[in-house]
Amino acid sequence: MVFEKADDVIDNYLKRENFTLEIGKEPTVIEEKIYIPHRDRFENDSSYYQVLFNTLSVSTQEKLNRKVSKIGSSSYSKEQLINEIAGILCVASVGLADEKCNANSGAYLKEWAKLIQGNNLEEKIWSCVTDAIKSYKCIFNLS
């Protein structure tokens, strides 16, 4: 039942936003295609769905007007935080969060947060959270 809820959210998002899901490649978004590795490449189902929802969040960049610079830039680091937080929100919302997934996400967030440059770090982190909530709402079709 939990997987069914997650799959329904994913299927509805893909149809609504005109994306197709391609299984078997590293997680990325290219044009209208969202790529994700095979499910058996993940430790467990929570990790699979976390990466899938994270990648769906990447696909919301254009719709939500998030501008991303080159890899290694502060804006790229911010985008990584946004997508990871959105993934966490999505996985928790469908009841698939577990300790291992949370620990992995926590470590991932910590590393990307270190790369956000400049002053007002707290403000930048809250901005990431705000954008992650927008991405989550877009994926779940919430107003």
Side-chain angles (χ1 to χ4, degrees):
M1 187 66 148
V2 174
F3 301 124
E4 191 174 290
K5 184 175 181 181
D7 290 337
D8 284 348
V9 169
I10 293 161
D11 290 343
N12 288 334
Y13 174 76
L14 294 172
K15 287 176 191 163
R16 191 175 60 252
E17 300 299 328
N18 256 349
F19 282 103
T20 57
L21 184 62
E22 299 285 329
I23 307 294
K25 294 185 177 182
E26 290 304 305
T28 192
V29 178
I30 301 173
E31 296 173 4
E32 286 85 32
K33 290 189 180 182
I34 296 172
Y35 297 94
I36 187 87
H38 287 282
R39 202 174 193 152
D40 61 5
R41 294 230 0 245
F42 294 89
E43 271 183 80
N44 59 33
D45 291 320
S46 292
S47 296
Y48 169 78
Y49 281 101
Q50 169 68 25
V51 171
L52 180 50
F53 279 121
N54 178 312
T55 309
L56 293 182
S57 179
V58 171
S59 75
T60 69
Q61 285 174 357
E62 188 176 323
K63 181 176 184 160
L64 299 177
N65 298 314
R66 295 193 313 263
K67 305 293 182 226
V68 180
S69 298
K70 62 183 174 158
I71 293 176
S73 68
S74 188
S75 70
Y76 183 83
S77 300
K78 180 181 175 191
E79 185 63 24
Q80 293 301 311
L81 289 171
I82 291 166
N83 296 326
E84 188 69 14
I85 295 166
I88 292 166
L89 293 170
C90 293
V91 167
S93 291
V94 296
L96 284 170
D98 66 14
E99 286 184 36
K100 180 71 173 171
C101 186
N102 292 342
N104 289 344
S105 289
Y108 189 83
L109 290 169
K110 184 177 178 181
E111 290 305 309
W112 281 109
K114 288 178 186 177
L115 300 175
I116 293 181
Q117 301 155 0
N119 298 325
N120 304 322
L121 181 59
E122 187 175 305
E123 184 179 307
K124 290 177 181 177
I125 297 294
W126 279 113
S127 174
C128 290
V129 171
T130 300
D131 286 345
I133 291 169
K134 290 176 186 174
S135 184
Y136 160 80
K137 286 181 170 184
C138 181
I139 293 165
F140 277 72
N141 200 27
L142 304 171
S143 356

